[in-house]
Amino acid sequence: MPIEVDVAILGGGPGGYTAAVKAAQAGLSVVVIEKDKLGGTCLHRGCIPSKSLLRSAEVYATIGEAASYGIQIAEGTASVDWGAVLKRKDHIVEQLHKGLQALMKQHKIEVVNGSGRIIGPSIFSPKSGAIAVELADGEAETIVPKNVVIATGSRPRKLEGLDYDGERIATSDEALAWTSRPSSILIVGGGVIGVEWASMLSDFGTKVTIVEAAERLLPTEDKDIGSEIAKALKKRGVTIHTGASIQAESCRMSEQGIEIQAATASGEAVALGAERMLVSVGRIGNVETLGLENTDVKAEKGFIKVNSQTLQTGESHIYAIGDCIGGVQLAHAAMHEAATAIEHLTGNKPSRAADRDVPRCIYSRPEAAAIGWTEENAKAEGFQVRTAKLPLRILGKALVYGESDGFAKVVADSATGDLLGVHLVGAHATELIAEASLAKLLDAIPWEIGRTIHPHPTLSEAMQETMLALEGSAGHA
């Protein structure tokens, strides 16, 4: 007999399990269909494991700078145990995975382990949306829901012409399973993933080279963020080639690893080599095997098309959220979209944040975070832009912490006084950006944030001081 439920969710990542919990809390019966493990890419191949590695790298780098804090460590006594680094990562992932399994049981959410495919009108349902599930044990199951939420996530985009083996040439998915640390690496792509891997591996002692096709690192962020992160990486010995594209047909394997050429915008050829190559050139939605052809759900350029406010697809009872719809491909964006979809599904009027108002975080060393308009984009949109930018070195806590590189920057509309964007680089920037996110939700203006009492000495004073600097009243500027 088919399983009849109120909501069937395809995918058990952050968007999928959040939608499941929200629906269950609303009193609906829910089934989650997941072909791998609950938690999806974020928990098993992305956010959590990569941040565990970054934290280990940060600790190792701090030990190397211990003398500047007055702590003497005998030279050569600190070393990296890569196996232990991976074991710590795996332990964190497993702990969170068990927590998710318990969460599903707590809310009486049934989890079906298998691959789901949407079928058209049939004996099970007069409309498309029933789901045929190929179970992990080879058996089959049919689920007949009143509503469907597609949350199948994404996978790394690959460059054509390269022979990916997961070891010499890999995406971030495979690199997280490397059992040894490379002595040198060529990272293709200077976006968020590329920068985080460059930061982590350089802190561990790997010789890192980045090739980015755009004219600067982190090209979708404010240019000041890209410049500051590039400066920090170069200081640690990272080689950066911007405005350059690798030539896949020139790739050769040697005893030393990978040999390949890159072409600059001027046509100059640059010979590059490393033990391994990591390709991080974006992600593409997992939409090909979902049976969309049996429905009026449309996909374009690898992503499902949705109503931007309700997240409904071409069929009103089928929703799509998270990476598979493109836009901001972040776990917390998927969680927000999950809440939006379930609110609409249950008859409420959701309010979905614009993509630019989803906090964007980069967990390199130093960290970076942003929300809202970049200065360049705000000007291009016709705003009368006013900015203020203060270095973190003016803050006592930044000096005490030993990480005074970075800045806080605010972009405002001089005509209305509205807050347009906040851009941070520095220690704990990914934590500090939450205040700016709250400000955007409450439509606070810079003056109001500046008037909010911030404790001293803290890194959060960067927000207060920069907002006050717009009015020429910062206490440290």
Short mmCIF file of all heavy atoms in Angstrom, two decimals, residues 40-42 44-47 152-158 171-174 176 192-193 197 279-286 288 301-303 323-331:
data_model
loop_
_atom_site.label_atom_id
_atom_site.label_comp_id
_atom_site.label_asym_id
_atom_site.label_seq_id
_atom_site.Cartn_x
_atom_site.Cartn_y
_atom_site.Cartn_z
N GLY A 40 22.65 16.07 4.48
CA GLY A 40 23.02 16.49 3.14
C GLY A 40 24.45 16.96 2.99
O GLY A 40 25.34 16.62 3.79
N THR A 41 24.69 17.74 1.95
CA THR A 41 26.04 18.24 1.65
C THR A 41 26.61 19.04 2.82
O THR A 41 27.78 18.87 3.18
CB THR A 41 26.01 19.12 0.38
OG1 THR A 41 25.71 18.29 -0.74
CG2 THR A 41 27.35 19.79 0.15
N CYS A 42 25.80 19.89 3.42
CA CYS A 42 26.30 20.76 4.49
C CYS A 42 26.95 19.97 5.60
O CYS A 42 28.07 20.26 6.03
CB CYS A 42 25.16 21.61 5.05
SG CYS A 42 25.66 22.69 6.41
N HIS A 44 27.78 16.58 5.67
CA HIS A 44 28.70 15.49 5.34
C HIS A 44 29.81 15.87 4.35
O HIS A 44 30.87 15.24 4.35
CB HIS A 44 27.90 14.31 4.79
CG HIS A 44 26.91 13.77 5.77
ND1 HIS A 44 27.27 12.98 6.84
CD2 HIS A 44 25.56 13.94 5.86
CE1 HIS A 44 26.19 12.67 7.54
NE2 HIS A 44 25.14 13.24 6.97
N ARG A 45 29.58 16.88 3.50
CA ARG A 45 30.58 17.20 2.48
C ARG A 45 30.82 18.70 2.33
O ARG A 45 31.42 19.13 1.34
CB ARG A 45 30.14 16.63 1.12
CG ARG A 45 30.03 15.12 1.08
CD ARG A 45 29.51 14.63 -0.27
NE ARG A 45 28.18 15.14 -0.56
CZ ARG A 45 27.05 14.64 -0.06
NH1 ARG A 45 27.10 13.60 0.77
NH2 ARG A 45 25.88 15.15 -0.37
N GLY A 46 30.34 19.50 3.28
CA GLY A 46 30.47 20.94 3.10
C GLY A 46 30.72 21.70 4.38
O GLY A 46 31.80 21.62 4.97
N CYS A 47 29.69 22.42 4.82
CA CYS A 47 29.83 23.37 5.93
C CYS A 47 30.58 22.81 7.13
O CYS A 47 31.61 23.35 7.54
CB CYS A 47 28.45 23.84 6.41
SG CYS A 47 27.25 24.17 5.13
N THR A 152 16.69 18.92 -3.02
CA THR A 152 17.71 17.93 -3.38
C THR A 152 19.12 18.48 -3.45
O THR A 152 20.06 17.74 -3.76
CB THR A 152 17.35 17.30 -4.74
OG1 THR A 152 17.01 18.34 -5.68
CG2 THR A 152 16.16 16.37 -4.59
N GLY A 153 19.30 19.77 -3.16
CA GLY A 153 20.65 20.32 -3.03
C GLY A 153 21.39 20.45 -4.34
O GLY A 153 20.81 20.54 -5.43
N SER A 154 22.72 20.42 -4.24
CA SER A 154 23.57 20.66 -5.40
C SER A 154 24.83 19.82 -5.29
O SER A 154 25.08 19.16 -4.28
CB SER A 154 23.94 22.14 -5.49
OG SER A 154 24.73 22.52 -4.36
N ARG A 155 25.63 19.88 -6.33
CA ARG A 155 26.92 19.19 -6.37
C ARG A 155 27.94 20.12 -7.04
O ARG A 155 27.55 21.07 -7.74
CB ARG A 155 26.80 17.88 -7.14
CG ARG A 155 26.43 18.06 -8.60
CD ARG A 155 26.16 16.73 -9.28
NE ARG A 155 25.86 16.87 -10.71
CZ ARG A 155 24.69 17.20 -11.22
NH1 ARG A 155 23.66 17.42 -10.40
NH2 ARG A 155 24.52 17.29 -12.53
N PRO A 156 29.22 19.87 -6.85
CA PRO A 156 30.23 20.74 -7.47
C PRO A 156 30.13 20.71 -8.99
O PRO A 156 29.95 19.66 -9.60
CB PRO A 156 31.56 20.13 -7.00
CG PRO A 156 31.22 19.40 -5.74
CD PRO A 156 29.83 18.86 -5.96
N ARG A 157 30.24 21.88 -9.57
CA ARG A 157 30.31 21.98 -11.03
C ARG A 157 31.72 21.57 -11.48
O ARG A 157 32.71 21.94 -10.85
CB ARG A 157 30.01 23.41 -11.47
CG ARG A 157 29.87 23.59 -12.97
CD ARG A 157 29.67 25.06 -13.31
NE ARG A 157 28.44 25.57 -12.75
CZ ARG A 157 27.26 25.50 -13.33
NH1 ARG A 157 27.14 24.90 -14.51
NH2 ARG A 157 26.19 26.02 -12.76
N LYS A 158 31.82 20.83 -12.56
CA LYS A 158 33.11 20.38 -13.05
C LYS A 158 33.48 21.09 -14.34
O LYS A 158 32.61 21.41 -15.15
CB LYS A 158 33.10 18.86 -13.27
CG LYS A 158 32.98 18.05 -11.99
CD LYS A 158 33.10 16.56 -12.26
CE LYS A 158 33.08 15.76 -10.96
NZ LYS A 158 33.23 14.29 -11.20
N THR A 171 37.13 17.68 -6.71
CA THR A 171 36.25 18.75 -6.25
C THR A 171 36.33 18.78 -4.72
O THR A 171 36.98 17.92 -4.10
CB THR A 171 34.80 18.50 -6.68
OG1 THR A 171 34.30 17.34 -5.99
CG2 THR A 171 34.70 18.28 -8.18
N SER A 172 35.66 19.73 -4.12
CA SER A 172 35.69 19.83 -2.65
C SER A 172 35.07 18.61 -1.99
O SER A 172 35.45 18.24 -0.88
CB SER A 172 34.97 21.10 -2.19
OG SER A 172 33.63 21.13 -2.67
N ASP A 173 34.10 17.97 -2.65
CA ASP A 173 33.50 16.75 -2.09
C ASP A 173 34.56 15.68 -1.85
O ASP A 173 34.64 15.08 -0.78
CB ASP A 173 32.43 16.19 -3.04
CG ASP A 173 31.10 16.92 -2.92
OD1 ASP A 173 31.04 17.92 -2.18
OD2 ASP A 173 30.13 16.48 -3.55
N GLU A 174 35.39 15.44 -2.86
CA GLU A 174 36.40 14.38 -2.75
C GLU A 174 37.56 14.82 -1.87
O GLU A 174 38.14 14.01 -1.14
CB GLU A 174 36.92 14.01 -4.14
CG GLU A 174 35.91 13.33 -5.04
CD GLU A 174 35.54 14.16 -6.26
OE1 GLU A 174 36.19 15.19 -6.51
OE2 GLU A 174 34.58 13.78 -6.96
N LEU A 176 37.58 16.44 0.81
CA LEU A 176 37.31 16.25 2.24
C LEU A 176 37.62 14.82 2.68
O LEU A 176 37.73 14.57 3.88
CB LEU A 176 35.85 16.58 2.54
CG LEU A 176 35.53 18.08 2.64
CD1 LEU A 176 34.03 18.31 2.64
CD2 LEU A 176 36.16 18.68 3.89
N VAL A 192 34.28 31.50 -2.62
CA VAL A 192 34.28 31.19 -1.20
C VAL A 192 34.99 29.87 -0.91
O VAL A 192 35.86 29.79 -0.03
CB VAL A 192 32.84 31.16 -0.65
CG1 VAL A 192 32.83 30.70 0.80
CG2 VAL A 192 32.20 32.54 -0.78
N ILE A 193 34.63 28.80 -1.62
CA ILE A 193 35.21 27.49 -1.35
C ILE A 193 36.72 27.50 -1.61
O ILE A 193 37.51 27.00 -0.82
CB ILE A 193 34.51 26.40 -2.17
CG1 ILE A 193 33.05 26.25 -1.72
CG2 ILE A 193 35.23 25.06 -2.04
CD1 ILE A 193 32.23 25.29 -2.55
N TRP A 197 39.64 26.85 1.29
CA TRP A 197 40.64 25.78 1.17
C TRP A 197 42.05 26.35 1.11
O TRP A 197 42.99 25.78 1.68
CB TRP A 197 40.35 24.91 -0.06
CG TRP A 197 39.35 23.83 0.23
CD1 TRP A 197 37.99 23.91 0.12
CD2 TRP A 197 39.64 22.51 0.69
NE1 TRP A 197 37.42 22.73 0.49
CE2 TRP A 197 38.39 21.85 0.83
CE3 TRP A 197 40.80 21.82 0.98
CZ2 TRP A 197 38.29 20.53 1.27
CZ3 TRP A 197 40.71 20.49 1.41
CH2 TRP A 197 39.47 19.86 1.55
N VAL A 279 39.28 21.75 -7.89
CA VAL A 279 38.44 22.57 -8.77
C VAL A 279 37.22 23.05 -7.98
O VAL A 279 36.41 22.24 -7.52
CB VAL A 279 38.00 21.78 -10.01
CG1 VAL A 279 37.12 22.65 -10.91
CG2 VAL A 279 39.22 21.28 -10.78
N SER A 280 37.10 24.36 -7.83
CA SER A 280 35.97 24.94 -7.09
C SER A 280 35.41 26.10 -7.90
O SER A 280 35.72 27.26 -7.65
CB SER A 280 36.42 25.42 -5.70
OG SER A 280 37.50 26.34 -5.82
N VAL A 281 34.58 25.75 -8.88
CA VAL A 281 34.06 26.75 -9.83
C VAL A 281 32.54 26.83 -9.78
O VAL A 281 31.88 27.03 -10.79
CB VAL A 281 34.55 26.43 -11.26
CG1 VAL A 281 36.03 26.68 -11.39
CG2 VAL A 281 34.20 24.99 -11.65
N GLY A 282 31.98 26.68 -8.59
CA GLY A 282 30.54 26.78 -8.45
C GLY A 282 29.86 25.44 -8.31
O GLY A 282 30.50 24.39 -8.30
N ARG A 283 28.54 25.48 -8.21
CA ARG A 283 27.76 24.27 -7.97
C ARG A 283 26.54 24.26 -8.90
O ARG A 283 26.09 25.32 -9.36
CB ARG A 283 27.31 24.19 -6.51
CG ARG A 283 28.48 24.17 -5.53
CD ARG A 283 28.02 24.02 -4.09
NE ARG A 283 27.43 22.71 -3.83
CZ ARG A 283 28.13 21.63 -3.51
NH1 ARG A 283 29.44 21.69 -3.42
NH2 ARG A 283 27.52 20.47 -3.29
N ILE A 284 26.02 23.07 -9.14
CA ILE A 284 24.86 22.89 -10.01
C ILE A 284 23.81 22.07 -9.28
O ILE A 284 24.13 21.17 -8.49
CB ILE A 284 25.27 22.20 -11.33
CG1 ILE A 284 24.09 22.17 -12.31
CG2 ILE A 284 25.84 20.82 -11.09
CD1 ILE A 284 24.50 21.79 -13.71
N GLY A 285 22.55 22.37 -9.51
CA GLY A 285 21.47 21.72 -8.80
C GLY A 285 21.30 20.26 -9.15
O GLY A 285 21.52 19.86 -10.30
N ASN A 286 20.89 19.46 -8.18
CA ASN A 286 20.58 18.04 -8.40
C ASN A 286 19.13 17.91 -8.84
O ASN A 286 18.22 17.74 -8.04
CB ASN A 286 20.81 17.24 -7.11
CG ASN A 286 22.27 17.22 -6.70
OD1 ASN A 286 23.16 17.13 -7.53
ND2 ASN A 286 22.51 17.30 -5.40
N GLU A 288 18.27 16.38 -12.26
CA GLU A 288 18.11 15.61 -13.49
C GLU A 288 17.26 14.36 -13.35
O GLU A 288 16.58 13.97 -14.29
CB GLU A 288 19.48 15.20 -14.05
CG GLU A 288 20.37 16.37 -14.47
CD GLU A 288 21.20 16.89 -13.31
OE1 GLU A 288 20.97 16.47 -12.16
OE2 GLU A 288 22.09 17.72 -13.57
N LYS A 301 18.92 26.06 -16.79
CA LYS A 301 20.36 26.15 -16.51
C LYS A 301 20.74 25.37 -15.25
O LYS A 301 21.56 25.82 -14.45
CB LYS A 301 20.80 27.60 -16.39
CG LYS A 301 20.63 28.39 -17.68
CD LYS A 301 21.09 29.83 -17.53
CE LYS A 301 20.94 30.60 -18.84
NZ LYS A 301 21.37 32.03 -18.70
N GLY A 302 20.09 24.22 -15.07
CA GLY A 302 20.45 23.35 -13.96
C GLY A 302 19.76 23.65 -12.65
O GLY A 302 20.09 23.03 -11.63
N PHE A 303 18.78 24.56 -12.64
CA PHE A 303 18.09 24.91 -11.39
C PHE A 303 16.58 25.00 -11.63
O PHE A 303 16.12 25.38 -12.71
CB PHE A 303 18.60 26.25 -10.84
CG PHE A 303 20.06 26.24 -10.52
CD1 PHE A 303 20.97 26.84 -11.37
CD2 PHE A 303 20.53 25.60 -9.39
CE1 PHE A 303 22.33 26.82 -11.09
CE2 PHE A 303 21.88 25.58 -9.09
CZ PHE A 303 22.79 26.19 -9.93
N ASP A 323 19.64 24.82 -2.56
CA ASP A 323 20.60 24.91 -3.66
C ASP A 323 19.99 24.56 -5.01
O ASP A 323 20.44 25.06 -6.04
CB ASP A 323 21.78 23.98 -3.40
CG ASP A 323 22.76 24.52 -2.38
OD1 ASP A 323 22.42 25.52 -1.71
OD2 ASP A 323 23.85 23.95 -2.24
N CYS A 324 18.99 23.69 -5.04
CA CYS A 324 18.45 23.23 -6.32
C CYS A 324 17.68 24.33 -7.06
O CYS A 324 17.31 24.15 -8.22
CB CYS A 324 17.57 21.99 -6.14
SG CYS A 324 16.04 22.25 -5.24
N ILE A 325 17.44 25.48 -6.40
CA ILE A 325 16.79 26.59 -7.10
C ILE A 325 17.78 27.70 -7.44
O ILE A 325 17.41 28.75 -7.96
CB ILE A 325 15.59 27.16 -6.31
CG1 ILE A 325 16.05 27.85 -5.02
CG2 ILE A 325 14.57 26.08 -6.01
CD1 ILE A 325 14.94 28.63 -4.31
N GLY A 326 19.06 27.48 -7.13
CA GLY A 326 20.07 28.49 -7.43
C GLY A 326 20.04 29.62 -6.42
O GLY A 326 19.72 29.42 -5.24
N GLY A 327 20.37 30.82 -6.85
CA GLY A 327 20.38 31.95 -5.93
C GLY A 327 21.51 31.82 -4.93
O GLY A 327 22.63 31.42 -5.27
N VAL A 328 21.23 32.16 -3.68
CA VAL A 328 22.23 32.07 -2.62
C VAL A 328 22.30 30.62 -2.13
O VAL A 328 21.39 30.14 -1.45
CB VAL A 328 21.87 33.01 -1.44
CG1 VAL A 328 22.93 32.92 -0.36
CG2 VAL A 328 21.75 34.44 -1.94
N GLN A 329 23.35 29.94 -2.47
CA GLN A 329 23.47 28.52 -2.14
C GLN A 329 24.17 28.35 -0.79
O GLN A 329 25.34 27.99 -0.70
CB GLN A 329 24.21 27.78 -3.25
CG GLN A 329 23.42 27.76 -4.55
CD GLN A 329 24.17 27.07 -5.68
OE1 GLN A 329 25.31 27.38 -5.97
NE2 GLN A 329 23.52 26.11 -6.32
N LEU A 330 23.41 28.62 0.25
CA LEU A 330 23.92 28.55 1.62
C LEU A 330 22.91 27.79 2.48
O LEU A 330 21.70 27.87 2.25
CB LEU A 330 24.13 29.95 2.20
CG LEU A 330 25.16 30.83 1.47
CD1 LEU A 330 25.07 32.26 1.97
CD2 LEU A 330 26.56 30.28 1.65
N ALA A 331 23.42 27.07 3.48
CA ALA A 331 22.54 26.27 4.32
C ALA A 331 21.48 27.12 5.01
O ALA A 331 20.30 26.75 5.06
CB ALA A 331 23.36 25.51 5.37
#
